[in-house]
Amino acid sequence: MHEILIYTSHIISYISIGIICYGAAIGLFHFVRNELNRLGKGFSLQRTVQIKIEVGYYLLLGLEFLIASDIIDTIVNPSFQDLGILAGTVVIRTGLSYFLNKEIDDLKGDKKHLSPL
């Protein structure tokens, strides 16, 4: 059972890294495409804001998976040092998630007020 939990934790960590990399790649692709549209007058500031929101969602999802992986790791190796490391990691990642989510919500509100160029 111990090995299965360790293996599961590693799989979840790799999935979270994959989610973050996938979101960054998608965001980069759409960003470059939008920037290239400047040449043909098809650039959209609203699209840039939408890209930022989408990448933020992938980052949040990846962070949630990393927290799950850390919790499993601590369950497998329950020492006070590991609990302290988990607590610090969860606080930092939760803070990042909170502020990233707040920024996404702010961008959504700002997006409604943007006028097309």
Side-chain angles (χ1 to χ4, degrees), residues 34-44 117:
N34 191 43
E35 288 297 316
L36 290 175
N37 285 336
R38 282 184 189 260
L39 303 173
K41 306 276 191 233
F43 174 78
S44 169
L117 296 176

Side-chain angles (χ1 to χ4, degrees), residues 16-88:
S16 67
I17 292 167
I19 290 169
I20 292 169
C21 290
Y22 176 76
I26 296 273
L28 181 61
F29 172 76
H30 290 297
F31 173 76
V32 169
R33 189 172 69 178
N34 191 43
E35 288 297 316
L36 290 175
N37 285 336
R38 282 184 189 260
L39 303 173
K41 306 276 191 233
F43 174 78
S44 169
L45 185 59
Q46 289 179 345
R47 183 64 188 138
T48 302
V49 172
Q50 181 63 34
I51 292 166
K52 191 172 181 181
I53 291 169
E54 289 173 6
V55 171
Y57 278 124
Y58 284 105
L59 287 173
L60 283 172
L61 183 61
L63 284 172
E64 294 300 325
F65 275 92
L66 282 172
I67 290 171
S69 173
D70 287 342
I71 290 170
I72 293 170
D73 282 340
T74 303
I75 290 169
V76 171
N77 299 317
S79 70
F80 284 114
Q81 182 177 359
D82 290 336
L83 286 173
I85 291 170
L86 174 65

